[in-house]
Amino acid sequence: MNTLNYIKELFSFSEGKPLIFTQLFFWAFFAVVLVFYALVYKKIALRNIYLLLVSFFFYYKTSGVFLILLLFTISSDYCWGLLIYRARSITHKKIFLTISVLLNLTLLCYFKYAYFFTESCNQLFHTNIAFFNHFSQFSNTFFGTHFSVDKLILPIGISFFTFQSLSYTIDMYRGKVTPVKNIFDYGFFVCFFPHLVAGPIVKAHEFLYQVYQPYSLSRKEFGLAAFWIMNGLGKKIIADYIAVNFVDRIFDNPNYYSGVETILGIFGYSMQIYADFSGYTDIAIGIALLLGFRLRTNFKSPYKAQSTSEFWKRWHISLSSWLQEYLYIPLGGNRQGTPGSYIAISILAIVLVMLTGHLWLLLVLLGLTALFVLLAYFIPSVRRSINTNINLMVTMLLGGLWHGSSWLFIIWGGLNGLGLVVHKLWLKVSPFKNSTNIAVKITAMLFTLTFISFTRIFFRSDSMDTVSLIFDRITNHLGLSLTFGIIKGYALVLSVIAIMYLIHWIPERWKEKYRLFFASLPLPLMIPCMVVLVFTLYQFISGDMQPFIYFQF
């Protein structure tokens, strides 16, 4: 009976225990996947169906009944893609694409923002509407779950697989792809398990061709796959160590720490979120490569960036490029605002009013809009500035909203948008624009890192009160005289953070050399090296491994 219970547990969903790359169970699961993969990898159709079933199991173990949403997304967009391709008129293509986009965004907005909209309406109009989760009721009725119907649960990875699926119908409309051969191939594209729940986001025109390519993996690629997996595991373990032993303490109770500790915690968080998120994608890239698929690089040493513009070309590249290709450019790019730009601004304005719960903000926003319209009408330079920067701000604000329905995310997105706009203006007058001076480059890099890190105060904090406390500690309780004692007291964790930054800043050509060196090691030497590395890294584990930060998005 114990054996049967154990087997049942292996194949059932356990709430609060997602299947993540840092679990021993995942690697046992992946080993079994590889054993059976060896039997089917040469037959493309069979391989795709097998990996689709594996991906379904992976998502079920991670999100349980929410697998239904993934199945709906796959079925829906597969059909809309076919209709778009077969439509004879551009009007019909637009109608089918619009339906696809609306269905995807409705699903995404419901699970990310429905509770927020209900609470905001109650606050704005003094109503007492009780939130009711219809999906929870459906799940409880038909699948015997026990979800609370007055709460909203966010399905893991919904933002990622929704964007991936949207890219298919949009690319189909643009003529960049042709329909896949069958729904199984499409399902595999959407939910290939390495990148399913936290990226990198794959676009249809960049990945679909691989669905039909025969399996190939050179000896060098095998070594690189092993490197990326080990590199990602190392980053994740160190990220958790930094979080548990330093960063979380400061952000959870900022009033207990000096301004110096708080500043160190802010820079520590920048390293933590980078190591955590890029660690996930490194492992995803390595696993996908072992299975014969190539995922794009998602991070390119972002803290080497010398401007906010460069930073966003290096950070979460798959999301940045998705927003650029499917949002920023269609809105008009840096050429001019379009009707879509102003519709997006109107939506953002409504969200801001709902976030505050005060209708007077709507009047303030309308007044500001009227002011900008008048300035743009009478002052050509203002009009040009609005035309070239409006879509940049809209994209970053929507990028902030993509992360969650909170003032904090909106402010974070707005600050990054402002940083991009200011950098564009600075380039017009900067005396250092084309400077090759190393001191200038280092200064620009550190300034960019500082700006990005301080915007993340809003990203990491759980409330505006926390933000206020953090800035209060920095401005009124700096405690410079305590610096030496702080460094001594947190010597190990601060050393780990410093070493991570130093490794991050190593020239790329050096990193390429040691990656290739590891990839070229003979297997009898590579395997013991991996064992020693894993044993060493796991010495940093303090308690259970934490879920990856971007699982919540």
Side-chain angles (χ1 to χ4, degrees):
M1 182 65 94
N2 289 335
T3 303
L4 289 175
N5 287 338
Y6 179 71
I7 293 173
K8 183 180 178 181
E9 185 178 346
L10 284 180
F11 288 92
S12 61
F13 167 69
S14 298
E15 190 174 355
K17 295 181 179 179
L19 187 57
I20 57 177
F21 294 160
T22 48
Q23 293 175 337
L24 182 61
F25 177 79
F26 171 81
W27 295 105
F29 156 77
F30 186 56
V32 173
V33 169
L34 287 178
V35 168
F36 289 99
Y37 191 63
L39 304 176
V40 301
Y41 75 97
K42 291 183 179 180
K43 301 175 181 178
I44 293 174
L46 192 57
R47 175 197 70 187
N48 293 347
I49 292 175
Y50 172 71
L51 289 178
L52 173 62
L53 294 175
V54 167
S55 299
F56 283 161
F57 176 75
F58 176 85
Y59 193 73
Y60 172 72
K61 285 290 292 182
T62 304
S63 290
V65 72
F66 290 108
L67 174 63
I68 294 172
L69 302 180
L70 184 59
L71 294 172
F72 172 80
T73 298
I74 291 168
S75 304
S76 173
D77 285 334
Y78 173 73
C79 294
W80 293 119
L82 283 176
L83 288 171
I84 291 169
Y85 181 76
R86 293 171 180 173
R88 295 183 178 181
S89 71
I90 192 67
T91 301
H92 287 158
K93 288 180 183 290
K94 286 181 177 179
I95 290 172
F96 297 142
L97 175 63
T98 301
I99 294 172
S100 170
V101 170
L102 288 176
L103 282 174
N104 278 285
L105 293 184
T106 299
L107 194 68
L108 181 63
C109 289
Y110 176 79
F111 282 96
K112 293 195 77 165
Y113 311 114
Y115 189 83
F116 153 71
F117 282 122
T118 304
E119 291 296 296
S120 296
C121 283
N122 287 336
Q123 191 173 357
L124 278 170
F125 303 110
H126 307 291
T127 55
N128 193 28
I129 302 170
F131 175 77
F132 187 84
N133 191 333
H134 296 279
F135 183 86
S136 291
Q137 184 188 42
F138 166 79
S139 177
N140 294 343
T141 302
F142 292 97
F143 298 100
T145 55
H146 303 283
F147 293 131
S148 174
V149 295
D150 60 352
K151 293 181 180 178
L152 190 64
I153 303 172
L154 179 65
I156 291 176
I158 187 170
S159 299
F160 290 91
F161 69 70
T162 299
F163 273 22
Q164 284 162 188
S165 195
L166 270 174
S167 75
Y168 177 73
T169 51
I170 296 173
D171 283 351
M172 190 71 68
Y173 172 80
R174 293 176 175 177
K176 288 188 173 183
V177 298
T178 54
V180 291
K181 294 180 180 178
N182 53 64
I183 195 170
F184 303 111
D185 293 341
Y186 182 67
F188 167 60
F189 154 70
V190 173
C191 66
F192 184 33
F193 74 91
H195 66 76
L196 174 58
V197 296
I201 299 170
V202 296
K203 298 178 226 175
H205 66 271
E206 293 178 347
F207 185 83
L208 271 181
Y209 71 93
Q210 295 190 52
V211 173
Y212 301 108
Q213 284 187 330
Y215 178 87
S216 67
L217 184 71
S218 67
R219 172 62 184 80
K220 175 185 172 183
E221 287 179 323
F222 174 83
L224 286 172
F227 173 85
W228 286 122
I229 290 171
M230 298 307 300
N231 196 58
L233 284 172
K235 286 180 178 178
K236 174 56 178 171
I237 290 169
I238 291 173
D240 282 357
Y241 176 79
I242 294 171
V244 171
N245 292 282
F246 191 54
V247 172
D248 288 351
R249 300 178 186 181
I250 291 170
F251 277 91
D252 290 345
N253 298 287
N255 228 14
Y256 294 167
Y257 299 92
S258 68
V260 170
E261 288 169 295
T262 304
I263 291 170
L264 291 173
I266 291 166
F267 284 99
Y269 180 66
S270 272
M271 180 48 66
Q272 179 208 337
I273 192 172
Y274 166 73
D276 187 284
F277 193 16
S278 69
Y280 180 95
T281 56
D282 284 353
I283 299 171
I285 288 168
I287 291 172
L289 189 54
L290 287 177
L291 295 171
F293 298 91
R294 283 79 183 165
L295 300 180
R296 290 187 64 189
T297 301
N298 208 24
F299 294 87
K300 291 183 179 177
S301 302
Y303 300 142
K304 290 180 180 177
Q306 296 175 38
S307 68
T308 48
S309 299
E310 185 184 354
F311 174 82
W312 283 105
K313 292 176 182 177
R314 291 172 173 265
W315 176 273
H316 200 354
I317 299 167
S318 62
L319 176 61
S320 299
S321 62
W322 196 99
L323 291 173
Q324 180 183 40
E325 185 171 344
Y326 298 111
L327 180 62
Y328 178 66
I329 292 175
L331 287 178
N334 62 1
R335 300 186 307 277
Q336 60 180 356
T338 62
S341 306
Y342 298 103
I343 291 172
I345 288 176
S346 300
I347 293 171
L348 284 166
I350 292 170
V351 170
L352 289 175
V353 171
M354 298 184 80
L355 279 168
T356 61
H358 298 295
L359 283 172
W360 57 260
L361 180 62
L362 181 61
L363 298 177
V364 172
L365 292 173
L366 288 172
L368 289 173
T369 301
L371 177 62
F372 277 109
V373 168
L374 288 173
L375 289 173
Y377 183 79
F378 290 106
I379 307 174
S381 60
V382 172
R383 183 166 60 251
R384 286 193 299 269
S385 181
I386 291 174
N387 280 336
T388 58
N389 295 312
I390 186 172
N391 294 321
L392 201 55
M393 284 299 297
V394 166
T395 301
M396 293 309 296
L397 287 168
L398 288 175
L401 190 61
W402 177 84
H403 286 83
S405 54
S406 163
W407 260 111
L408 299 169
F409 290 126
I410 294 288
I411 294 171
W412 170 77
L415 287 173
N416 277 277
L418 185 62
L420 292 171
V421 171
V422 169
H423 174 250
K424 283 178 63 178
L425 297 174
W426 170 246
L427 285 177
K428 296 178 180 180
V429 298
S430 172
F432 309 110
K433 183 177 179 180
N434 298 312
S435 175
T436 57
N437 186 288
I438 188 67
V440 171
K441 289 185 175 183
I442 291 175
T443 301
M445 183 182 72
L446 293 177
F447 183 84
T448 302
L449 172 60
T450 301
F451 173 75
I452 292 296
S453 297
F454 272 76
T455 65
R456 287 194 175 127
I457 294 173
F458 297 92
F459 190 95
R460 174 60 179 79
S461 299
D462 55 8
S463 68
M464 286 299 293
D465 288 338
T466 302
V467 173
S468 299
L469 283 172
I470 286 172
F471 280 110
D472 176 67
R473 303 314 290 178
I474 294 171
T475 55
N476 298 320
H477 306 278
L478 189 57
L480 281 175
S481 61
L482 304 173
T483 302
F484 180 76
I486 291 168
I487 293 173
K488 185 178 179 181
Y490 293 103
L492 183 55
V493 67
L494 291 178
S495 295
V496 170
I497 294 171
I499 290 169
M500 289 292 285
Y501 272 112
L502 290 173
I503 293 173
H504 187 84
W505 289 326
I506 289 175
E508 189 59 34
R509 63 182 182 277
W510 294 10
K511 293 183 179 180
E512 186 69 23
K513 285 181 180 179
Y514 68 67
R515 280 198 289 264
L516 292 176
F517 172 77
F518 180 88
S520 302
L521 287 175
L523 286 180
L525 186 57
M526 182 186 292
I527 293 173
C529 286
M530 293 170 66
V531 171
V532 171
L533 182 59
V534 169
F535 177 79
T536 303
L537 288 170
Y538 269 76
Q539 304 312 303
F540 286 93
I541 295 179
S542 49
D544 292 337
M545 294 293 291
Q546 305 297 308
F548 288 90
I549 291 173
Y550 264 69
F551 271 29
Q552 64 187 299
F553 304 125

